[in-house]
Structure formats: structure tokens, C-alpha cells
Amino acid sequence: MAAMESQDVGEPTSPAEARKGGALPADRQGLLKHSREFLDFFWDIAKPQQETRLEATEKLLEYLRTRPEGSEMKYALKRLITGLGVGRETARPCYSLALAQLLQSFEDIPLCSILQQIQERHDLQKVKKAMMRPALFANLFGVLALFQSGRLMKDPEALMKSVKLLQGLAQHHNHLQEQPQKALVDILSEVPEAMLQEILPKVLKPDMNSVLSSPEHLELFLLAQQKVPEKLKKLMGSVNLFSTENMPRLVTVLKTAAIAVKKERRLPTVALDLLRLAQKEDKFLQFWKEVVEQGLLQKHSWPASYLCFRLLGAALPLLSHEQLQLVMQGDLIRHYGEHMVTSKLPNQFKFAPEMNEYVGAFLEGCRDDPERQLAMVVAFTSITNQGLPVMPTFWRVVRFLSSPALKGYVAWLRDMFLQPDLDSLVDFSTTNQKKAQEASLHGPERAMFRLRKWIILRLVSIVDNLHVEKEEALVEEVARFCFFHAFFETKTPTAKILETEQRFSFPLDSRARQVVSSAFFSLLQTLSTQFRQAPEQTQDKQSWTYRLIQFADMLLNHGRNVTALAPFTTQQRQTWDRMLQTLKELEALSSEAKAKAKATAFQHLLLLVAIHLFKSPAESCDILGDIQTCIKKSLGERTRRTRSKATNPQEPPWVEVLVEILLALLAQPSHLIRQVARSVFSHVCSHLTPHALQLILNVLSPDKSEDEDDNVVVMDDCERQLENEEDKSEDNKNSESEEGSDEEESDEEARDGYVDQGFREQLMAVLQSGKALGGVDSEDDNEEELGDEAMMALDQNLSSLFAEQKLRIQARRDEKNKLQKEKMLRRDFQIRVLDLIEVLVTKQPENPLVLDLLEPLLNIIRRSMRNSSSKQEQDLLHKTARIFTHHLCRSRHYCHDVSNHVETLYPQVERLVQQAGHQADSSISFYYFNASLYLLRVLKGSTADRPVPKTQKKEKASTDPSTKPKGSRALCKSLLPIVVQHVTGQTRPRHQVQACILLQKALMTRELRLCFEDPEWEQLIGQVLAKVTENLHALGKAQTKSEQQKELSSLELLNALFRIINHERLTVDLTAILGVLQSQQSNLQHRQPQGEPFAGFSRLYDLYWQAMRVLGVQRPKSEKKDAKDIPSATPSPMSIKRKKKGFLPETKKRKKRKLEGSAEEEAAKPAVPNGNQAPSGAQPPSTGKKKRKRVRSKVPAQSPVNGTPATKSVTSEPPTTTSPSAPAKTPKLKKKNRKLPQENGATPVSPVEAAGRKQHLKEPSKKGVSGKSLPRKKARLSLAARSPSLLRSGASRRRAQLRKGRKP
């Protein structure tokens, strides 16, 4: 391919031009420069990615615009024409599109020449038989490229040649099928009328058989009928396309067109053109009945049915009101309803979404005509399957309805609910329903109930739909309609109550009332949540629930006209009146800013319970009275708190009563009640008492939740309570820790229910009695048979026995299902009760009662993780874990005042840690550890926030045991021995690393030091030092990363111990650690030349010598060889040139005479032997100020050589040489490193020591110079040199750089 491309690129140059010199090499070289980029365009054009193809086409066009006359244009045309016939079918349209874009951009290229090149390149007469199919498609896509360029209509000659070529291609039906004819129709649809009149005789045969032979020929005929009817009439005469003899042929053509577009799922153009022609010739009814309903629908073919459905959707804007009613009452709409009912499986094609788009477009297009909108929606709603409309209750096309149309639709639904007209509906039954239909079960009553149920849900969904523009009057009308027919009935009509004037043609039964009641509470939830953010939509800014309460009160006051389905007793009516009075008081309090939120929450709760008074009067009456009492006490608590306690000492607090009420309300499966309970509890949780919290925890605890069933009734949609106490006791056993084993045993018992010992004994007794009746005396006589009477008696006894056993097994299964259902209800109830826990943790995180939630929540998590098989258990687990982790343990706010709970918190922490260690599942242990860490944070925060008296001084706090801090410090003190044990031993290296880090951080805190006496502290430091010494026996032998981290952390801890010893002047034996460090020096030196085995080796080496320097051993200086002494290989001439390039000449270089002289003097001095003291006159080269130089000249040099310990001095006597094995027990020996804690963030030295050091530096001659002054100053200088440059001033940084530069 590359060879061919290179050959094609070079083709434009002729041999005559090749003989000419000068220009040809330059042109050929320029072509080669851009050939690779140019050829890549054609590869990208054929790629399957659309973005890549479009980008490559744009780049090709930009490239050719810069060279319109070059050889690239010829090559591009040739390459694109060749690509039209490639073997890959996906690449042909890509080349066709690129060729169309090219012809559109360069209009100077003649189309006839391009068409000629296409025919020459893909000649159908010369091509081989194997390449016939690609050649045919190449000609077809070539014509399509000319058409897509938009220039074909401007060139009549090219147009005629293209039409002729398409006619020739139409003969190859085996390969191209109807594609050439479709392309011809597409081209002729955009041809001007004058040119179409000229072309029409050449493309259309004047024969109806030819016209009705295929959808493409019929479409061409319809195109001519639409554009040039006079020319068509001259050509074919008067043609009646919708004649009786043509109808079957039209059906055949449309069926063929439906099969052709089966995969594309679209409406064929010929079908819509036929519909328009029938509408134009006033033959729509004939066409619809004979072609659509009696033709296509009778074929029992789903492609034909889908064509009819699409034709119906496309015809909706074209039909008049009468035609629309006719179409929506025919067989097609019944067939569509049957399709909606039967296509419920997931893998079946559903036409409903496509029909919804057609209907939505129709409704949106005729907003100015409410009558047509109403007729359309009513027509689709009237499609019913045995009374139940096939359209969903949440049909979203109603959002396109105008306000008058929506009002009319609601009125039609209301009238159909009151007086159902089943004859006006388009009702149908499926094939399976017809087979299993029974007159007793499928009567008009059932159809009426199904219709009313759908209508009431449809009304609620209209209010619930946020996208539907609704007026307040419409919402109020729906709400009052649902409320009235759910709980009231009319005695005598009255004009004051419009609902009483609505009469039923068929009375509502109890089932319909129950459906309306549940729909009303669903509507109430929608009104409470959807319009909560916009209260101004209601009159006087009142909530919808309050307005419904006022409407209910008006109905109760009109007892002559209206009666309640469950009439109120005298007590219930008094409770209702007191509730109204309490609402007025709360409304007055809501005007105050402070009590507005609380009064609003209580008002919602009171309104909600008052509405439920119509549903369950007996239960709601008691709850309503208790709520009013709690409201009065809570709102008047501040003024009458002492008086109420004095008058009613035995009365429970109001918050406990309110919590019981909320728990009773949460037992009902209502989302609205759940929201109101959360809102009320968020305002009263600040008054929560321990007993009130215990009421909530009793519901959540597995051993106490079952005991609460006497007070709290868990309600389901079908049943309210499972009353059997024995079933509750059985469930108590199942909900304990042995729940899993009990369930397994019950499953086995259910599978093998016939295996029962009592049943076996009864069966053996029956068989033995049967044998006795049959006269069988011995087991050996097996050949004797029983008589007929004995056999009949035995059969009867066995049948009765097995029947009893079957009933017993069924009873056991029913009991198990009953217990399982009760368990599910209880889990759902616990999930709802967790809302109160979440509110408490979120709203009151600093309440001490929150600490009592840890263990109950952990018990729920532990139990649910063991028995998380059901969905309820998983939901309970997820919600509990979310509350525990995100809202409790990770909360930024927590309890700070735990002074009354300290005695219980420490045992609780210990208990949680022990339980975490005893858990078999690590995920459960994780939650227990989080709980213990939360308590530690609470303890630490409470002690840190406690104010310290001003009279308490630091000295007294360090000596007096009574003033020692408690809380987290005492806890840290008790945990230190455990951490020290994990520094060494059989634990993993990473655990030892964590122990060393914890010890280092803990020992450097001042608060921990105050918890120890001096002997205890010194003993602790000795223990830690012994552990670190044991760890350092393996220094330099680490193989893994964790062992390397262990060495680093051990050395860091050792240096921290040295700082503590030097700062506090402790008496500790350092001989052992010195010997261990010296013994491991060879290992480190052996690893150092190997190129640092791990990234932290330099840090390890520095820590090692930092510790050795504290012990008196100085780090050996690294020997730097002179560049002159290093032999170098003879460089190559090329390298010499490169080295000399850019170097300064010798005359420009600065000569360092002083440094060279000092280096010569240093080299001339004799070497000092190991372990011997240098002569007093020998001085190191000066690196500091003159004053420092004079000080050093007076002091004998004590610097060690090659790591040998320097001379140590305990007193101020002249220095004497000491051996490394001498014990170092005095802290004065390490006095030189007392300033080290300042650099590493440790405890700073006292001001007295700092003043003494400053004075020592200022007046060295007065005190005299001892052997320990020089090492201390060297340590100070070395630390300053190693400190980060950001921590040093500019002057000290320059001095350090100068000293570094002067070193030889």
C-alpha cells in the first residue's frame, strides 16, 4: 500500500518534465516532506470513530485549501473514489461523505468528470464477478456523494447522468435491493418542478402495476402526484389510487414497507404520504377502514401493527375532531390497548414510550385548542381492560395540558367516578382473559371498582406531578373530593357544601372507601411536602392540613346534611373541640420568633393526629388528648416548672409521654407521620430525659423490643397486630443470639415436616391395629392378605391420620410465616425509630445522653451482621452503621461536660476494648474500636476544657499527687506498660514501629511527666532504654522495609531518651547501649559504600552518629581526595573540545591563596595516632571568628580519630583519657547536648540553664575552659550547620557557606 501511494503521488510528473533539472528535485523533495501527513488523512477517514473521521475530513480540506492546484488534489480525488469500493462496508460511507465535503468546498471541480472517474474506476462491464458487489456500491455511494454535496441540482447534465446510473443500478436487486430506488426518490424530491417534469417520463412507467409493485415506485408516484399532478395526469391519465381493486395491493405494499423498516423502527414515508393523499381526496375513512383496520391489522404481524400505531401517532395533528373520535373508537385502539397489557415482560418491545412522544407532541402543538387536548386525553383514558384503563396513573403527557383542558380533564374524571359510564369506554379482554373468564368474577361491579380505583389514583398523581401547572382551586377541589368521599356521605344536598350535590349512580362499597382513604393520605403527604416551601399558595398562608381540618369541622357542624362514616362519640367530639382551641393558641404563639419553630412542629403533629381521628377514632382520641397535655406543659415549662413539679410529683415528665406518642405513631407505615415525628422530636430532644431515651432504646434492643409490643402496635397495610402472646414468646427466642441455629432447625423441620415422633407412633398403632383386624398373628406369615373390610378400615384410618398430619404441617408453616411477618414488621419499625436516634445525634451532639447510645447501636450492628440475610436486616444494618460512623463517631461536636459520668466512662472504654478483641469478625471490631476512640476523645476534651485554678503552680503540680491531672493523662499512664512491651518481643516489626512512635510522642509530653514521681519516671526511662537496646542488637541487618522502619524508629526513640536524660539530669547506666552501638558500627560502615540500600539510610546513619555523639564518640570526618591526585584517563579529542568550551580562562579565575596555603600546612603536619592526645600546639584550620579561634587555641584538642571516644571529664579538673568501657552514670557527662531538644521540638530547657549558657559563651575566660566546653560548642555548630536554611538567618547562612567553602 505504501508503495502504491508513493507511486500515485509521483504520477503527475511527466517524463519530459523529469529531464528538466532544477525544479523537479525541489518539487519531488517538497512532496516527500508532506506525503506522510497527507496520507494519514485517508487512513483516519476510514476509521470507525465518528470524531476521528470528521476531524480527518476537516484537516484534509484545510490541507487542500492551501494547495488547490497541486498534485495533492488529484491524488485526494483518486484516493476517495477508490475508497468508495473498498471491501470494508463501514468505510464506504466514510469515503462518500469525505468526497461530498470535498466537492462542496471546491465548486470548481466539475461533477461530470467526477462521475466519469467513478464509472471508469468501478466499471461494471469490466469488473470481475467477485468484485461486482463492491463496484455496485461504489457507484451508488458516488452518486450519493454528488447529491450530498448540494451541487447536483445546479448541474442538469450531471443530474441526468446520475438518474440514468441509478436506474441501471436498480436492476441489480440481489446486491442493492431497493437502495437505488430510494436514492432516486430522495434526489427527485428536491428537484425543481420544471426539471422533474422533464425527468418524470424517464423514471416512471405509465402503468399501475409498476407503481404498486414496490414501496419505492409508489413513493415516486406520490411524489409526482404532490409536485407535478398535471404532468402525471398527462402521463398516466386519471388514476384512482384508492379504488376497491387497488386496496389489497396497497396493503401489500405497506406491509412490505413495514418489514423493510423493522430494524429502524420508524414510519415509512410512503405510508404518511398515502394518508395525506387520502385526507386531501376526502377518502380518509375508506383508507382507514379498508387499508389499516381491515387490511394491516388482519395480517396478525407485529411490524404491520407497529406501522399502524406509528401512522396513528403521526396522523393525530392532521385529523379533525370527528375523525379523531372515529379513530379512537375503532379496532386499532383496542389492538393498541391489548399490546400495552400483554407487553409486560422485560424482553418484549413496548410501543408505549413512542406513542407518548406522539401524544405529547400533539398536546404541545395545540395548546390554543383546549377542546382537542381534552378530547385526546379522554380518548386515551377510555381505553380499558375490563374496566381498568391501560394508561398508567402517572401518565406524564398531562404536563402539556393547558389550564382549561386540565380543569375539564379533572371534571371528567370526577364525573366518571361518581357516575361510571362503561358503555362509553373502549373496553377489551385479552385472549387469556377470554379463556378464563367467569361471569361471577368479571361483572360490572368489578369493572366499576377497577375504574374508580384508577380514577382516584389518577387525581392524586395529577396533584403530585410537579411539572403540571395547577391552580390552587383545582388542588383544593381534589383534596376536598378525596376527603369527603373517604370519611363522609351525604344525607341531603346543600349549596354550602358542593360535595353534597354530587350523586352516585352506583353507591361506593367499603373497598372503594378504603382505596379513597389511602389515596387521601397519600395526597396529604404530597401537599405537606410539595407545598411546604411555598406556603403563600394557600389562603392566609395556612397549611393544607389546617384547611382540611377547617373543612372537616364545617362538615361536622352540618350534621343534618352530612354524616360521618364513623360518627364521633361525645368524648371524641370534646377532644376535637379542645384540639381546635389548642391550634388557635399555637397559631398565636407562632407569631413570636423564639417559639415559632417549636409551635409549628407541634401544630403539624396535632393536625396530623386530628386527621387520623376520622380513620381510627378510638386510638387517635387518646393520643390527641396526651399530645395536647404535652404541648401545654412544654410551652409553659419555663413559667410553671417548679409549681408543676410540686403539685404532681408522681406524674411522668411530658417529654416521656411525647416520646411514647411518637413511637406509637411511628408504628404506622406512613411516610408523612415519619417526617412529622422527626420534626417534632428535633424540637423536644433538648428536653430528653434518660428514661425517655431508654424508651427508644428498648425498641431497638433485641431482648426488649418484643416486650414493647404491649404498648406499641406495629401496623401493616393488611393487618394491625398479631395478637397471640405465644407467638411473641416464640419470636423472643428467635430474636436472641441462637436465632441463626433456630432458623436452620426450623428450615429442616419444614422440609422434613412428616418426620415426627408422635406421628410415627400413631402410624405404627394404626398399622398394628390394621394387622390385628386382618387376622395376621405373626410377622413370618407375609403371604396372607387382609380382607376388604379390614383394608377399608385401614385406608380410612391412614387417610384421617395423614390428613391430620397435613393440617398440622400447614399450621406449623402458617405459624412460621406469621412469625416471619411479625419479625419483618418489627424490623421496619426499628428502622423508623432509628430516625429519632439520628435526630438526637445530629441536633444534640453535646448532650451526655448521646454516650448511652454507643453500646445499643453496637449491639444492633453485631446482631444484624450475623443475621443480615433479609432485606430488612440489611437496611437496619446500613442505617445503624451510617448513624454510628458518620453522625456520632466522626462528628465535630461532642459532649464536653462528663463530670458526672467519669466513673462510668473508664469501665466502658475498657469494656469496649475487651469486646473488640473478643469479636470473631474484624469489621465488627472496627466499630468497637471507633466507639472506644470516641470515648477517649470525649475524655480528653473534657479534661482539656476544664479550667485550671490560677493559684496552682507548676512546681506544686509536679510534686503534689493530689493535683495530678486525670482523664486522658491517667489513661495514657496506664497504657504505657502495654506499649513498652510491644517495643520488642514476638510482635511484628510494623507493630514495634508503631510502639516506638507512640512512646516517643508520649514521653516528650509535659502532661505525662506530671503523672509520675521522680523514681517512677527514672525507672520507666530505664525500662524503655533496655527495650531499645535490645532492638538495636540487629542494627544494620534489616532486609525488609518494615525492619528498616523499625531501626529508624528505635534510633529516634533512643535520641529522644537521651534528650530527656540530659534535660532532667537522670542517673542512667549507658554502658550497655554504648557497647551495642559500637558493635554495630561495622555493619553500618559496610552498608554505606554499597550505595544506600534503602531510601532512609542517610537518615539512619545520621541518627546513629547523633546518638554516638551524645555518648562522647565523634563522627569521623569524610576524607576528600584532591582532584590532582585522582588519575584520569586520557580524554578523546572530542571530549577535550567539549570540556574547554565554556570554561573561564586562567586569567579570569580567582586565586585562593589562603586556602591553598592552609591546605599545604595541613598536609605537612604529622598524623595523630589513634587513641593518643594531640599536642597542645596543634590547631585545626580556622573556620570561625577570631574570638572563637582564640578560645579553641587554649583548649587541648580532644577530637577522636576514626570513631574512638574522646576524653571525658566529670569534674572541672584537667582532662584525662578514659576508656570506652568506663561506666557513664552521671548526667554531667552529657551536658554538652542539653540544647538538642530545642531543635527537635522537645521540651525546652529552663530559663536558668539558658542564662547560664549565654553567660558561659560571653565570658569564657572567667570560668576557665574545661574539656567539655569544646565538644558542646562543636555540637552547637554542627547542629546549626545541619539545620534547614529557612530556620537560619541570612548572616548565619552566609557564614556557614563560607566555612564550607574554605574546607580543604
Side-chain angles (χ1 to χ4, degrees), residues 554-785:
M554 181 183 65
L555 294 177
L556 291 175
N557 293 331
H558 288 74
R560 296 180 179 178
N561 307 103
V562 179
T563 179
L565 296 177
F568 285 175
T569 61
T570 305
Q571 182 182 1
Q572 293 170 359
R573 186 56 190 266
Q574 293 176 357
T575 305
W576 175 267
D577 296 337
R578 288 199 306 269
M579 180 270 302
L580 294 177
Q581 184 64 27
T582 307
L583 284 177
K584 294 180 181 179
E585 297 176 1
L586 289 175
E587 190 175 1
L589 287 175
S590 61
S591 60
E592 301 178 4
K594 295 182 179 180
K596 182 178 180 180
K598 191 174 182 180
T600 304
F602 280 127
Q603 188 178 9
H604 288 167
L605 179 62
L606 202 61
L607 292 172
L608 183 60
V609 178
I611 285 290
H612 279 79
L613 193 62
F614 295 96
K615 184 179 181 180
S616 53
E619 299 174 1
S620 300
C621 182
D622 299 336
I623 296 176
L624 200 59
D626 295 337
I627 289 176
Q628 296 179 41
T629 305
C630 294
I631 290 174
K632 292 180 180 179
K633 289 186 177 181
S634 62
L635 295 178
E637 187 181 26
R638 296 181 179 178
T639 58
R640 298 191 301 269
R641 179 177 297 178
T642 56
R643 183 180 305 174
S644 62
K645 287 185 178 181
T647 54
N648 300 319
Q650 297 180 355
E651 184 180 355
W654 62 269
V655 67
E656 298 179 7
V657 179
L658 188 59
V659 166
E660 292 182 353
I661 293 173
L662 294 179
L663 291 176
L665 293 176
L666 286 175
Q668 303 179 12
S670 172
H671 186 67
L672 178 59
I673 293 179
R674 192 172 178 178
Q675 290 180 342
V676 173
R678 286 176 62 98
S679 176
V680 173
F681 189 75
S682 63
H683 291 90
V684 302
C685 60
S686 58
H687 306 277
L688 203 65
T689 61
H691 187 264
L693 179 62
Q694 191 61 37
L695 292 175
I696 301 175
L697 296 179
N698 290 340
V699 178
L700 299 175
S701 59
D703 53 345
K704 297 182 179 180
S705 61
E706 289 81 3
D707 299 336
E708 295 295 322
D709 293 339
D710 297 335
N711 300 326
V712 179
V713 179
V714 182
M715 299 178 64
D716 194 8
D717 296 336
C718 300
E719 60 180 4
R720 297 194 176 193
Q721 175 67 10
L722 303 172
E723 300 91 1
N724 196 345
E725 297 296 334
E726 296 179 358
D727 296 340
K728 294 178 183 177
S729 62
E730 290 292 335
D731 190 69
N732 290 340
K733 298 177 182 179
N734 292 335
S735 61
E736 293 177 354
S737 60
E738 297 87 8
E739 186 175 13
S741 61
D742 292 344
E743 289 181 354
E744 293 177 0
E745 293 175 2
S746 62
D747 292 338
E748 294 177 0
E749 187 178 359
R751 289 195 301 267
D752 305 331
Y754 58 87
V755 180
D756 188 5
Q757 188 64 26
F759 175 68
R760 285 180 178 179
E761 294 177 357
Q762 295 178 4
L763 182 59
M764 292 298 295
V766 171
L767 292 176
Q768 290 176 2
S769 63
K771 289 180 180 180
L773 290 174
V776 180
D777 298 329
S778 62
E779 297 180 358
D780 297 335
D781 193 2
N782 297 327
E783 297 181 357
E784 297 183 5
E785 297 181 358

Side-chain angles (χ1 to χ4, degrees), residues 406-649:
L406 183 61
K407 289 181 180 179
Y409 184 51
V410 171
W412 181 85
L413 291 173
R414 185 186 64 244
D415 296 340
M416 187 63 69
F417 181 85
L418 296 172
Q419 299 177 356
D421 187 7
L422 300 180
D423 297 333
S424 63
L425 303 177
V426 184
D427 197 79
F428 65 92
S429 297
T430 62
T431 305
N432 295 333
Q433 290 174 349
K434 292 177 181 177
K435 293 179 181 179
Q437 187 170 1
E438 296 181 7
S440 59
L441 298 178
H442 301 82
E445 294 82 4
R446 180 176 180 270
M448 202 173 302
F449 170 75
R450 288 158 62 92
L451 177 62
R452 283 175 171 173
K453 180 180 179 181
W454 187 92
I455 288 175
I456 202 68
L457 296 178
R458 169 78 272 195
L459 289 173
V460 173
S461 65
I462 289 176
V463 179
D464 193 13
N465 197 339
L466 297 175
H467 301 285
V468 178
E469 297 180 1
K470 303 174 288 292
E471 296 181 358
E472 182 183 348
L474 182 65
V475 176
E476 184 179 3
E477 179 185 354
V478 174
R480 291 177 53 153
F481 179 82
C482 295
F483 179 75
F484 181 83
H485 295 292
F487 306 112
F488 291 89
E489 58 183 359
T490 305
K491 285 184 178 180
T492 56
T494 176
K496 296 181 180 180
I497 305 175
L498 299 178
E499 286 75 15
T500 58
E501 298 179 353
Q502 302 169 355
R503 291 290 184 176
F504 286 99
S505 61
F506 188 83
L508 281 178
D509 55 357
S510 59
R511 291 191 306 164
R513 298 275 186 185
Q514 188 176 1
V515 170
V516 177
S517 175
S518 61
F520 166 74
F521 283 105
S522 177
L523 176 64
L524 186 63
Q525 176 182 341
T526 300
L527 296 177
S528 301
T529 55
Q530 179 176 338
F531 302 107
R532 182 172 51 189
Q533 304 297 333
E536 64 275 2
Q537 293 186 1
T538 61
Q539 298 176 356
D540 301 330
K541 295 185 179 181
Q542 295 177 349
S543 63
W544 287 100
T545 313
Y546 191 78
R547 295 181 63 180
L548 290 173
I549 288 293
Q550 292 178 344
F551 176 65
D553 187 60
M554 181 183 65
L555 294 177
L556 291 175
N557 293 331
H558 288 74
R560 296 180 179 178
N561 307 103
V562 179
T563 179
L565 296 177
F568 285 175
T569 61
T570 305
Q571 182 182 1
Q572 293 170 359
R573 186 56 190 266
Q574 293 176 357
T575 305
W576 175 267
D577 296 337
R578 288 199 306 269
M579 180 270 302
L580 294 177
Q581 184 64 27
T582 307
L583 284 177
K584 294 180 181 179
E585 297 176 1
L586 289 175
E587 190 175 1
L589 287 175
S590 61
S591 60
E592 301 178 4
K594 295 182 179 180
K596 182 178 180 180
K598 191 174 182 180
T600 304
F602 280 127
Q603 188 178 9
H604 288 167
L605 179 62
L606 202 61
L607 292 172
L608 183 60
V609 178
I611 285 290
H612 279 79
L613 193 62
F614 295 96
K615 184 179 181 180
S616 53
E619 299 174 1
S620 300
C621 182
D622 299 336
I623 296 176
L624 200 59
D626 295 337
I627 289 176
Q628 296 179 41
T629 305
C630 294
I631 290 174
K632 292 180 180 179
K633 289 186 177 181
S634 62
L635 295 178
E637 187 181 26
R638 296 181 179 178
T639 58
R640 298 191 301 269
R641 179 177 297 178
T642 56
R643 183 180 305 174
S644 62
K645 287 185 178 181
T647 54
N648 300 319

Side-chain angles (χ1 to χ4, degrees), residues 10-67:
E11 279 182 3
T13 56
S14 62
E17 295 175 357
R19 297 188 186 94
K20 298 180 180 179
L24 180 60
D27 292 341
R28 188 181 297 277
Q29 185 179 3
L31 184 60
L32 292 176
K33 286 183 180 179
H34 62 68
S35 62
R36 184 70 268 164
E37 178 187 1
F38 181 61
L39 294 177
D40 287 342
F41 295 151
F42 301 100
W43 289 101
D44 293 340
I45 286 174
K47 288 184 177 180
Q49 294 80 9
Q50 183 179 1
E51 297 180 358
T52 306
R53 297 198 306 263
L54 296 177
E55 184 179 0
T57 305
E58 293 178 0
K59 290 183 178 180
L60 176 63
L61 296 178
E62 292 177 1
Y63 187 89
L64 293 177
R65 288 190 186 101
T66 58
R67 302 170 178 82

Side-chain angles (χ1 to χ4, degrees), residues 151-170:
R151 297 172 49 194
L152 190 60
M153 306 304 160
K154 304 176 184 178
D155 192 345
E157 182 181 358
L159 177 61
M160 295 300 297
K161 290 183 179 180
S162 300
V163 170
K164 185 177 181 180
L165 179 59
L166 289 176
Q167 287 180 334
L169 294 176

Side-chain angles (χ1 to χ4, degrees), residues 329-378:
Q329 295 286 337
D331 296 336
L332 177 61
I333 207 65
R334 284 188 173 88
H335 187 58
Y336 174 70
E338 185 177 355
H339 163 72
M340 289 195 64
V341 173
T342 55
S343 62
K344 296 294 181 64
L345 297 178
N347 55 351
Q348 289 182 341
F349 174 69
K350 301 174 181 60
F351 192 80
E354 194 171 346
M355 182 60 75
N356 290 340
E357 294 180 1
Y358 282 118
V359 177
F362 169 78
L363 295 177
E364 192 174 7
C366 59
R367 286 182 178 270
D368 299 336
D369 193 353
E371 294 183 359
R372 297 192 68 190
Q373 283 188 335
L374 179 60
M376 174 61 60
V377 179
V378 169

